[in-house]
Amino acid sequence: MVNRLSGLVVASVLSVAGPQAVWAEDNPIPRVQDLGHPATNLREWRAQIERATVQVTGVQLNRTDTELEIVLESAEDQPLQIDATQFRTEGNSLVAEIPNAVLALPAGQAFVAENPIADIATVQVTQQDSNTIRVSVTGTNALPTTEVTLTTAGLAYSLNPAGEEPDEELVVTGAGQRGYRVPNSSAATRTDTPLRDIPQSIQIIPQELLQDQRADVTSALLNAPSVRVGSPSNFDAVRAQVRGFFTSPTVDGIVARDFNGVSANIGPDLTGIEQIEVLQGPNSILFGSSSPGGTINFVTKRPLSDPYYFVEASAGSFDFYRGEVDLSGPLDRDKNILYRLNSSYRDQELFTDSSRTRNFVIAPVLSFALGEDTTLSVEGTYKHLSRDNATHGLPIVGTILDNPLGDVPRSRNLTESDAEVRQTRIGYKLEHQFNENWSLNHAFRYGWMEFDTFGRFPGALGADNRTLSTSFSDISDQYFDYRMTTNVVGKFATGSIQHQLLFGVDLGRSDIELKFTGLEGPPIDLFDPTFGASPGAVTFSSEDSIVTDELGILLQDQITLADNLKVLIGGRFDMFRQTGDFGNPDLVQTGEAFSPRLGIVYQPIEPISLYANYSRSFEPIIGRSRDDSTFEPTRGTQFEIGVKADLSDRLSATLAWYNITQKNVLTTDPIDDNFSVQTGEQRSRGVELSVAGEILPGWNIFASYAYNDARITEDNNSDLVNNRVQRTAPHAASLWTTYEIQEGDFQGLGFGVGLFYVGDRAGDNANTFELPSYLTTDAAIFYKRNGFRAAINIKNLFDVEYFEGSFNRNRIFYGAPLTVQASFSWTF
């Protein structure tokens, strides 16, 4: 048997097939010539193994109290081609894939062993496809703690994660996850739970997809058709709708309270981001005040235990230049102190006249092992974004609607402005394992952002169809945010029923300071603009400060009634206090809300999960009504049913149907239109289908379709009832697929193609106009070999003229034309 030393599988003889492969101690060291291969050296012998198909004629299990050995017997004791990079975890399972092998068992079937040892439920050896064998070791309630080794022809490999030394590709993701399929998520339950066991639709946009597409925030979210980004791609903030409702993003499952989605300031660059998780439906049980449509969670990269160095340079259309580094590894011999440093700089002109963006990001992380059971991580992020003349849109006449004087070119930009955005985020996370069943995690984060801009902005189009009014704006905003979250997680059993209990406490404070001065501006000609005008008299000035304090208490239980029947039940009680309002600094508003969640998952067969959930959300509304009473929070209620299917161990699909109702929506007071009343209601219904993973070796796919019918169901203005909600589209779909050649002279060469469709969108709640549908095509060609990667990415391949979004009839945004980017990276 093999021994473990310093996290590696070792033996008393030479390692042959990488850090996990050793000659078993109880076998003599074979010589190459004794193996029956006419090779002259070890390299040739291993190359011949890779070309050969080996028959597995038997499977044996050798057990001790602490170790399980899986022995794969082959004809004439031929060694199998074991690639340790194919070892991974999926939920409670340890998985290994063995290429160029076929099962030839006497019974002609797969090998299955039930409960071979205390904490292992099953061991399965199955034929995955015509020439690949899959070994799966599933723990009883969690990943097996038993040492599991896989032995073939005298070579032994550890399947346990602690015994693996990640290769270069594994290191890229920072968590051992490769490909387009991500099986686990912690944000949806605050526990590391397989997606198939969560009664909720969750779409995860993984790191490999982000790299293949060379995506920024806006283009990445096109892969989630249930998400609509309301702001143009040159904006720094993510102003997004999920399932028809506006939402604010979170980072690592921690909220950042803000005004209009600005202070989170995730965009536009994805430096330091590992993956994007779209948690569909109400998530107030996790985050307190939140949208009923869903939450976009950005997961940051974590330190790695082995040295990893990544450098990339990119250049492209419209004077696009970008450089990035991603460095990680241990700072001491025992790997108790780990670091990661992500940083990038981007300088880019946009397709609109005189527009330019410069963005610098640095995101360091340090992780300290304070003992075997305690880890402390300290992290920070600094961003500095400069924007010159970021377009604020064009009028509808001359873009969507005909203008008798002609069409307005999509490069036309009537904005003169300079903007500076600076953001700092500092925090820590403490994790402690009391024993194998109980753990604690505690996190704190402080965020600060400053937004300054001064410029001349276009207004409404005049009756002559060419003259627009303009105004000057001087804005200086600051956002301060403090978040503390503490979770205690425990596992226990009541009879045969298993529980995973979570108790959480969240504290938060946000402080928003807004300064605005409006000044007169001269008109501008839509077809022959002149710039450089001076501002006129002050028309409006305001200084506002809003402070919000929050306390949330969460209790959740993930109950396993049987291996194929799981229930998620929980509730959260929130209290909040807001001081200040626009124009009323002395206003004090308090409120409370209870947010329940109930879900059930039934798995009739192992690859299929049928689920249903009921959940509620709330969002406070700042202000008072005509009778000086404060507003109640809006309340969202969702019913959702769906099915999740593992089409293979590398390919999964989700189909969901949902119905969301939001009440207490503000509408115009019928007595005095200077005030509002809470008699409005909106409803969103829809269907979502997504497929992600690997179809065949080297062929990846990430595809989604969303049907969303978001409508105003109650309003004091009867003309708005049954109208579609602004910016929502009934139909949206995306498809991205890549293929990488796996062997031969062209091994490492790959191709990608993407299709992104967005249907007609309501331009405003009155539905006075629509943004027309569009279909764009992206393409990519790349080459990877020995840590080097070169790629060319083409966006909007056929140069389709389309409209990305709108704020109103005077602010319509064109989408970008044909864009080409080339990138070169080195990983070592």
Side-chain angles (χ1 to χ4, degrees), residues 49 129 163 192 209 235 334 512 605 675 682 698 824:
I49 292 176
D129 54 40
D192 192 16
L209 177 67
F235 272 41
D334 296 328
I512 303 173
I605 57 176
F675 293 91
Q682 295 180 1
F824 304 89

Side-chain angles (χ1 to χ4, degrees), residues 361-437:
V361 183
I362 184 168
V365 187
L366 282 174
S367 176
F368 304 88
L370 305 180
E372 294 184 359
D373 302 317
T374 307
T375 302
L376 174 67
S377 298
V378 181
E379 59 185 307
T381 301
Y382 174 76
K383 298 183 180 182
H384 182 196
L385 174 71
S386 299
R387 292 195 328 235
D388 298 338
N389 305 320
T391 178
H392 276 229
L394 296 168
I396 191 172
V397 176
T399 52
I400 295 176
L401 303 180
D402 290 335
N403 187 319
L405 302 179
D407 293 336
V408 181
R410 59 180 165 182
S411 62
R412 180 59 43 84
N413 182 17
L414 304 176
T415 302
E416 294 179 272
S417 68
D418 295 319
E420 297 283 337
V421 183
R422 297 178 180 85
Q423 183 195 30
T424 300
R425 188 171 63 241
I426 301 173
Y428 68 82
K429 184 176 183 179
L430 179 68
E431 298 176 283
H432 178 71
Q433 192 78 30
F434 296 107
N435 53 48
E436 63 180 7
N437 293 322

